[in-house]
Amino acid sequence: MKHNMSRYAFYSLTVTFTILSVLGQVSTSIYSPFFFDLATMYDSQVSIIEQSVAVFLVAFSLSQLTSGIVCDYVNKQKFLFYGIIVFIAGTLMVALADEESTFLIGRVVQGLGGGVGVSVSRGLSRQIFSEKQLNTSLSLINIAFAIAPAIAPLVGTIIGESLGISAIFYFVLVMGLLALFSLFSVSSILSYFTPPVSDNVYSNTLVLIKSTIVKLVSVGMASGLLYGIVFCFITIAPSMVMQQFGLSKTLFSIYSLLATLSFVAGSVLNIRLTSLSPFQKFRVSSFCLAALSVLFALTVFSGSQSGLVSILAYCYIAFFFIGLAMPCSVTIMLGYSETSAGFLAALTGFFHLTGAAIGAYVVTLLTLEPTEAFSLATCALSIASIAICFTLKKH
């Protein structure tokens, strides 16, 4: 059946899966330029608003792991509907929140719903697409996955300054409704192409866990900590860049976009470096990132002036190496099994988002100046990652 899928059906499904995959990223990045405004609105501290990123990521990572495991045993299409409804409910809570506690709870609910879309759509993609179609679909989704969080702050700035902060969250609500409509529109296609639930998933997954659990955890932790550096920047950047240097929200959004382009450039280089294995590229890029982070931290704590140029230069180079390392880590993880790829994809997402939550939360706990907190957190994360990385062996 896979090979009889029309181009219309293929692209309709890919668009739907893309929207489902980027909902979580957009809902997090779109309001980052307004951390200070939200703190004022709720008569709260900026650190509390910054922690909304971390609590979302914790919920998102747990949801992604759980839904990735569960979806192999249930109707994936219905599971997706439930996930979108939960995300919409959380978005309504955030949009209507009149105090910080309601805002944070809404972010948790958003994360629980958003994680379902990522894992389950990946599982469906593997089941209904041919190998060539799967490669094309995932490539398109990955492009959107990288670009969406970069464009979101700029979109949020335009909406927030024109219509008010609450309008930002109503925009996210519209995206959730669009995802629900898209899923309804392709429901007949999904019903036709989705195979019945396999009876051997449980036994295959148990064998995989027993034979490779240490390796899976090691690779997942090493790559997740690198992802944490990205969210260190996302969380502390408004304080570190906007407040310290007095940049406008628009200019801040543009600088954030350039950081994502650096990430994309690293991913493109990963494709080009065919002479090196994913394992080699992951190690080399992790080592370069650790050396760069230590150098940046020494510069900051030595009393040298940390100007905007030096901060952005570090961020862009760091994002480049992370963009090179992350696809390699996913390739390594998925390489451990073909039959349990859905479980491995969920496990990969869990470690990445757990690392992101650690990075986002730790940087808010450090009672230091924003630049010092950022440099110390990224240095610790990169050193921990490379320490784990060098215990790994090729499989």
Side-chain angles (χ1 to χ4, degrees):
M1 287 190 298
K2 294 180 179 179
H3 300 284
N4 296 327
M5 182 180 292
S6 66
R7 287 174 59 87
Y8 170 79
F10 169 73
Y11 284 109
S12 296
L13 291 171
T14 297
V15 169
T16 300
F17 293 159
T18 300
I19 297 173
L20 290 169
S21 297
V22 302
L23 276 178
Q25 287 186 312
V26 171
S27 69
T28 296
S29 302
I30 197 168
Y31 72 95
S32 60
F34 291 89
F35 281 176
F36 292 100
D37 303 78
L38 286 167
T40 301
M41 178 188 299
Y42 298 132
D43 192 22
S44 178
Q45 298 177 350
V46 176
S47 60
I48 299 297
I49 304 302
E50 291 173 339
Q51 288 176 14
S52 68
V53 177
V55 298
F56 172 87
L57 290 172
V58 170
F60 193 77
S61 61
L62 290 174
S63 172
Q64 189 169 331
L65 176 63
T66 304
S67 61
I69 297 172
V70 172
C71 75
D72 286 331
Y73 306 93
V74 299
N75 184 299
K76 292 182 175 65
Q77 186 175 342
K78 291 182 179 179
F79 201 5
L80 276 176
F81 279 122
Y82 296 145
I84 297 174
I85 291 172
V86 171
F87 178 85
I88 290 173
T91 305
L92 272 174
M93 289 184 66
V94 171
L96 299 174
D98 56 2
E99 57 184 8
E100 62 185 37
S101 59
T102 306
F103 180 80
L104 293 176
I105 293 172
R107 290 290 289 153
V108 171
V109 177
Q110 274 187 320
L112 293 175
V116 175
V118 177
S119 289
V120 180
S121 62
R122 286 176 180 172
L124 278 171
S125 296
R126 185 171 180 83
Q127 287 187 322
I128 65 181
F129 292 148
S130 67
E131 183 177 349
K132 182 178 179 181
Q133 290 171 335
L134 180 63
N135 181 64
T136 302
S137 180
L138 290 179
S139 296
L140 293 172
I141 293 173
N142 284 336
I143 292 173
F145 212 71
I147 295 177
I151 296 177
L154 186 58
V155 173
T157 298
I158 295 172
I159 295 174
E161 292 188 338
S162 302
L163 303 174
I165 300 176
S166 297
I168 296 174
F169 303 114
Y170 285 112
F171 175 81
V172 176
L173 178 64
V174 170
M175 285 194 62
L177 293 172
L178 177 61
L180 188 62
F181 173 79
S182 298
L183 190 57
F184 270 118
S185 68
V186 299
S187 58
S188 59
I189 301 175
L190 284 174
S191 299
Y192 180 76
F193 285 102
T194 303
V197 176
S198 173
D199 296 327
N200 301 318
V201 175
Y202 182 73
S203 58
N204 290 335
T205 303
L206 280 182
V207 172
L208 175 67
I209 292 174
K210 290 178 180 178
S211 61
T212 61
I213 186 62
V214 175
K215 294 178 181 178
L216 291 173
V217 171
S218 297
V219 176
M221 289 177 60
S223 58
L225 291 172
L226 294 185
Y227 204 45
I229 295 176
V230 175
F231 278 83
C232 275
F233 175 79
I234 291 175
T235 302
I236 203 68
S239 298
M240 183 175 64
V241 178
M242 290 177 62
Q243 183 182 33
Q244 183 176 351
F245 298 100
L247 298 182
S248 66
K249 294 182 177 67
T250 301
L251 193 56
F252 168 74
S253 300
I254 292 174
Y255 284 146
S256 298
L257 176 61
L258 292 176
T260 298
L261 293 178
S262 298
F263 184 94
V264 172
S267 299
V268 171
L269 180 61
N270 171 60
I271 298 173
R272 295 284 186 176
L273 289 176
T274 55
S275 59
L276 298 177
S277 68
F279 184 82
Q280 291 172 318
K281 287 183 284 189
F282 183 64
R283 268 193 170 184
V284 171
S285 55
S286 297
F287 177 79
C288 292
L289 181 59
L292 177 68
S293 298
V294 170
L295 179 62
F296 180 65
L298 289 175
T299 301
V300 171
F301 284 96
S302 65
S304 302
Q305 182 66 29
S306 298
L308 179 62
V309 174
S310 62
I311 293 173
L312 293 178
Y314 165 74
C315 294
Y316 294 158
I317 298 173
F319 273 48
F320 173 81
F321 283 119
I322 294 171
L324 176 59
M326 296 307 288
C328 297
S329 68
V330 176
T331 302
I332 295 170
M333 289 284 284
L334 294 180
Y336 284 106
S337 173
E338 293 183 3
T339 56
S340 300
F343 167 75
L344 290 174
L347 194 64
T348 302
F350 170 77
F351 279 114
H352 286 176
L353 290 167
T354 300
I358 291 173
Y361 193 68
V362 167
V363 78
T364 65
L365 294 180
L366 296 173
T367 55
L368 300 168
E369 292 296 322
T371 303
E372 293 178 346
F374 175 68
S375 63
L376 184 60
T378 54
C379 184
L381 290 171
S382 61
I383 291 175
S385 177
I386 196 64
I388 298 171
C389 187
F390 273 91
T391 66
L392 299 173
K393 297 180 181 179
K394 292 182 179 181
H395 66 280

